[in-house]
Amino acid sequence: MPTVVSLLEAFQANFPGLTQLMTMWAYLIGMGAGVSAVLMAQRRARFDGQATIVGIAIRAVLCATCLYLPTAVSTSQETLFGSPTILSYSAGTAVSGQGKIALDAVIGFVQLVGLWAFLYGAVLLNRAHSRSVYDPGLGGKALTHLVGGVFCMNIVATVQAIAQSFGLEKLLNTVIVAGGS
């Protein structure tokens, strides 16, 4: 009979493949944005009023961000958390062996969702600038996805910062210890 822990282990076994799939999508989005930026620049050269310089620049940045995804993630991590790598962690004293398996799966899933949100935020930012007029609703949503994605990718540091803000470090250390192995 399958247990929750065995289901989480099986789910966690798919994370590397899902991460590679998202990276592949990032490369495809980046190539598409690069081609789109070049075509939009050609339209601008023909004096098309709908092709704005900001739209071309956003697509070029989207192209660079998606094609250099590991560098973009590392840079955003360093900007928000002061460290270019995602924090490692170890289970706290209150976590059993099966709890550690579940904790690994949940943290891995949140990091995977964070990668998806980061990519989706970049695509939304492109859409916000795709028309001749900037769409502030999409721009705000894009920024929220970008920042939230970075926070989710480094969920250990995010939870640690929240715990320190509210004075809950001792409670957090019984469940998860940031910087462990």
Side-chain angles (χ1 to χ4, degrees):
M1 177 109 178
T3 63
V4 172
V5 174
S6 65
L7 291 173
L8 286 173
E9 279 181 310
F11 184 55
Q12 186 180 11
N14 293 320
F15 288 167
L18 291 173
T19 303
Q20 288 176 344
L21 177 70
M22 282 193 209
T23 305
M24 180 204 61
W25 276 111
Y27 291 151
L28 290 174
I29 291 169
M31 287 187 281
V35 168
S36 177
V38 169
L39 292 175
M40 193 178 248
Q42 287 177 345
R43 280 182 31 209
R44 175 103 176 140
R46 289 187 309 234
F47 303 106
D48 185 357
Q50 296 226 344
T52 63
I53 292 176
V54 174
I56 296 168
I58 291 293
R59 288 190 182 178
V61 168
L62 175 64
C63 173
T65 300
C66 287
L67 290 178
Y68 295 100
L69 185 65
T71 305
V73 168
S74 173
T75 302
S76 60
Q77 292 290 338
E78 188 161 9
T79 300
L80 289 174
F81 296 106
S83 170
T85 58
I86 294 175
L87 283 180
S88 60
Y89 66 94
S90 61
T93 55
V95 179
S96 66
Q98 289 184 338
K100 178 163 177 22
I101 293 169
L103 187 64
D104 288 343
V106 168
I107 287 177
F109 179 71
V110 170
Q111 289 172 338
L112 197 62
V113 168
L115 179 60
W116 171 84
F118 186 80
L119 288 173
Y120 188 62
V123 170
L124 284 177
L125 190 60
N126 179 40
R127 282 189 196 162
H129 289 281
S130 66
R131 297 171 192 90
S132 60
V133 217
Y134 172 70
D135 185 357
L138 278 179
K141 189 186 279 190
L143 185 62
T144 302
H145 275 84
L146 287 168
V147 172
V150 171
F151 283 149
C152 283
M153 282 189 279
N154 204 347
I155 188 65
V156 175
T158 302
V159 170
Q160 186 179 23
I162 291 170
Q164 287 176 351
S165 297
F166 293 111
L168 302 172
E169 302 96 358
K170 290 181 182 176
L171 179 64
L172 178 67
N173 286 337
T174 61
V175 178
I176 189 170
V177 179
S181 55

